[in-house]
Amino acid sequence: MKIGIGLPNQVRDVTPTVLPRWAARAEEAGFSTLGTVGRIAYPGVLDTVALAAAAAVTSRIGLFSNVMLAPVWPPVLLAKELAGIDGISGGRLTLGVGIGGREDDFVVDGAGPRGLGKRLDHDLGVYRSVWGGEPVGGGANPAVTPGARQIPMMFGGFAPAALARMAEWGEGYIGASMPASMVAQSFDGARAAWKDAGRAGEPRLVAIAYFALGDTEQGRRNVGDYYGNLGEEMAGGIAAGLHGTAEAVREAVRAFTEIGADELIFNPGTDDLDDVARLAELVL
């Protein structure tokens, strides 16, 4: 199983200058992937900005939005922005897609939090068209530069429609930030949807887990704050699941390996740059 690490772009009041340094250290340490978290109405750094910064200072490590709240964006603008990030990285971007459930993230007029499934299905087709070089806006020029590629996509979510969308458009499934025993059920659902759609082979399965090894309690507070809209009980449960010791981190690796994850991405609970080396020492 591969081990990736998230960027701290949605840690409350993150120091933005940490992000490119975090990315460079993660690549040097040997992590497989740099991930981002997507949220608009929160005091962090937008995932597209974080991915662009990471693309500019790295040359090998994968880049992965896990997950980007795609329906909050006008689709042509997002498709072009992602194509630019992918181009700068030399083709290292994977688009992890989610629908989003927080109403305050939908800040674009006419793109409110209603009918998200239908809108996302439409937008996915727009992305493919833009990346394929079709002109937009009534002009004759393609929206992206020559050489743009179809960026691989992965999907999260629990509803049957989300799993069907994954099987139709994606290359795999992203589990929620939950214990491996619970994510196993989602992985089984993804495998079944993949088979029902007649796809060959197996879907790529990615798991995520929170960690904070320097200041574990601050990490838990940050995670609880991020999920505060879910209510105190649920936010507290997610925060309590943050991995703050060597034993807990190693147990997460073992547990997600056992349920068949192809990759585990540890998302940070703080922007403590030394946590990159601390995690690498335990898992790489």
Side-chain angles (χ1 to χ4, degrees):
M1 182 177 68
K2 296 179 180 178
I3 303 293
I5 188 171
L7 287 161
N9 66 299
Q10 291 294 358
V11 169
R12 175 174 280 275
D13 298 326
V14 59
T15 303
T17 55
V18 165
L19 297 175
R21 289 186 289 156
W22 187 288
R25 288 196 187 185
E27 179 171 79
E28 183 180 357
F31 287 101
S32 58
T33 301
L34 278 165
T36 56
V37 177
R39 180 96 191 264
I40 305 297
Y42 196 76
V45 174
L46 204 62
D47 39 6
T48 51
V49 176
L51 288 166
V57 299
T58 60
S59 59
R60 303 179 306 278
I61 193 169
L63 305 175
F64 184 29
S65 62
N66 63 313
V67 295
M68 185 172 290
L69 308 182
V72 308
W73 291 79
V76 172
L77 296 183
L78 179 58
K80 180 158 186 175
E81 196 154 329
L82 292 171
I85 294 168
D86 188 58
I88 290 169
S89 76
R92 290 181 283 128
L93 178 63
T94 296
L95 175 61
V97 179
I99 285 183
R102 301 177 175 99
E103 292 196 10
D104 56 1
D105 282 326
F106 292 83
V107 299
V108 176
D109 290 342
R114 299 291 181 272
L116 296 179
K118 290 183 178 179
R119 192 158 82 235
L120 180 57
D121 289 335
H122 165 268
D123 291 355
L124 293 171
V126 174
Y127 304 160
R128 294 293 195 199
S129 295
V130 171
W131 297 335
E134 293 186 19
V136 300
N141 293 317
V144 293
T145 56
R149 67 175 186 135
Q150 294 292 339
I151 298 170
M153 295 188 288
M154 296 187 62
F155 295 81
F158 303 102
L163 295 175
R165 190 175 294 117
M166 177 275 302
E168 178 180 358
W169 294 92
E171 67 169 33
Y173 179 79
I174 309 160
S177 181
M178 300 188 303
S181 59
M182 300 175 68
V183 176
Q185 301 173 40
S186 298
F187 280 3
D188 287 343
R191 293 185 184 103
W194 191 267
K195 183 177 179 180
D196 291 345
R199 297 285 299 269
E202 296 284 337
R204 176 186 171 195
L205 301 173
V206 174
I208 57 177
Y210 280 101
F211 85 103
L213 296 167
D215 191 339
T216 300
E217 291 310 310
Q218 184 60 53
R220 290 199 172 102
R221 287 192 292 271
N222 288 341
V223 172
D225 181 74
Y226 182 79
Y227 289 101
N229 70 296
L230 300 178
E232 185 175 346
E233 182 177 354
M234 186 168 290
I238 298 172
L242 177 142
H243 301 79
T245 66
E247 293 77 11
V249 166
R250 290 180 177 129
E251 172 58 22
V253 173
R254 183 201 63 77
F256 283 107
T257 299
E258 284 190 353
I259 67 168
D262 297 300
E263 185 170 29
L264 172 59
I265 298 177
F266 282 97
N267 280 341
T270 75
D271 63 356
D272 180 356
L273 194 57
D274 290 335
D275 261 2
V276 177
R278 293 183 183 114
L279 183 65
E281 185 176 354
L282 295 176
V283 300
L284 298 180

